[in-house]
Amino acid sequence: LQRMLSMAVEVDRSPTCSSRKIADDVFPFILNIPLRSQREALLNTMESQLLRCRLLELLFQHSCDVPTTSSMSLDKILYFLSHSSVLPQFQDETATWQRWDEMLQYLSLLLLSYQTFPLAEHLRTSISDRMDLIAQKAKPRLQDSDDISQLDIQLKMNDFISRMQETLEQPFPPQIQEKLFMLQ
């Protein structure tokens, strides 16, 4: 399945458009996956970084009270950090801290997916044009919204931690503390 999805992203002249179409079709099924381990297995084994990035973006858009229309960027990831509620209640019964833990896991995966390829523009171009970019050792083109400061990150992380503390009303489990450190 992962190989087929990856090839489906690549067949179009614009992998970005392909990934959007495929993600829009696959996303409702992700919401119906009953167990966290199954959702993570699907997302962690995804071969197309662009498709995984888009699916995670849709998941966080779904969990925001006020979705944003901006394009994918580091600033948008910070927006998700500030505006996402705990991920939607899936079919499995999990404790609130485990839902926060899953959210942190997916935020880290989104950041990793975004930084790996889409930021470098290699997967935003067709496969025939991509070879030229690789041969030329083209530098990544940053978007204006990718220029974020350490202070921006610290403020958003502090707000996020405060929201988590209000919700959990208990000390963070070690798994959450570790993921917060890794994400920051």
Side-chain angles (χ1 to χ4, degrees):
L1 173 65
Q2 296 295 6
R3 174 102 26 208
M4 288 172 41
L5 288 173
S6 182
M7 288 188 318
V9 168
E10 295 293 334
V11 297
D12 197 335
R13 181 102 177 106
S14 172
T16 303
C17 289
S18 296
S19 66
R20 286 187 181 280
K21 290 174 191 174
I22 293 167
D24 288 343
D25 288 340
V26 171
F27 180 68
F29 296 105
I30 289 179
L31 290 178
N32 289 320
I33 295 175
L35 299 174
R36 176 182 177 178
S37 60
Q38 294 169 334
R39 290 186 295 274
E40 285 184 359
L42 175 70
L43 292 168
N44 287 332
T45 60
M46 194 153 284
E47 290 182 15
S48 172
Q49 297 291 330
L50 190 60
L51 182 57
R52 177 174 40 192
C53 189
R54 178 64 183 150
L55 283 169
L56 289 166
E57 179 183 4
L58 286 173
L59 186 62
F60 283 106
Q61 286 280 35
H62 185 73
S63 71
C64 284
D65 292 334
V66 180
T68 178
T69 57
S70 64
S71 61
M72 192 61 212
S73 64
L74 295 175
D75 189 51
K76 189 170 189 173
I77 294 172
L78 285 180
Y79 180 87
F80 290 150
L81 187 69
S82 297
H83 294 87
S84 291
S85 59
V86 174
L87 291 177
Q89 181 71 34
F90 292 100
Q91 295 173 3
D92 57 343
E93 292 298 319
T94 55
T96 304
W97 77 266
Q98 290 171 317
R99 291 172 54 210
W100 281 101
D101 184 60
E102 185 175 7
M103 179 182 175
L104 286 168
Q105 177 71 27
Y106 293 157
L107 270 169
S108 297
L109 195 57
L110 176 61
L111 184 60
L112 180 67
S113 295
Y114 180 68
Q115 287 185 324
T116 302
F117 287 107
L119 182 61
E121 292 289 318
H122 289 237
L123 282 183
R124 291 185 179 179
T125 58
S126 68
I127 199 160
S128 57
D129 296 339
R130 192 176 314 150
M131 297 310 287
D132 294 335
L133 287 174
I134 293 170
Q136 296 169 4
K137 297 180 182 175
K139 299 281 185 199
R141 290 183 299 173
L142 296 177
Q143 301 178 53
D144 290 339
S145 51
D146 283 328
D147 188 23
I148 57 174
S149 70
Q150 192 65 31
L151 180 62
D152 292 334
I153 295 168
Q154 191 60 49
L155 291 173
K156 299 291 184 183
M157 285 299 294
N158 289 343
D159 290 344
F160 180 75
I161 290 169
S162 296
R163 282 191 311 135
M164 273 182 51
Q165 285 173 335
E166 285 176 22
T167 305
L168 293 177
E169 298 175 348
Q170 63 185 3
F172 294 151
Q175 299 95 319
I176 291 204
Q177 290 176 343
E178 183 180 314
K179 283 188 175 83
L180 283 169
F181 179 73
M182 286 177 24
L183 182 63
Q184 193 167 357

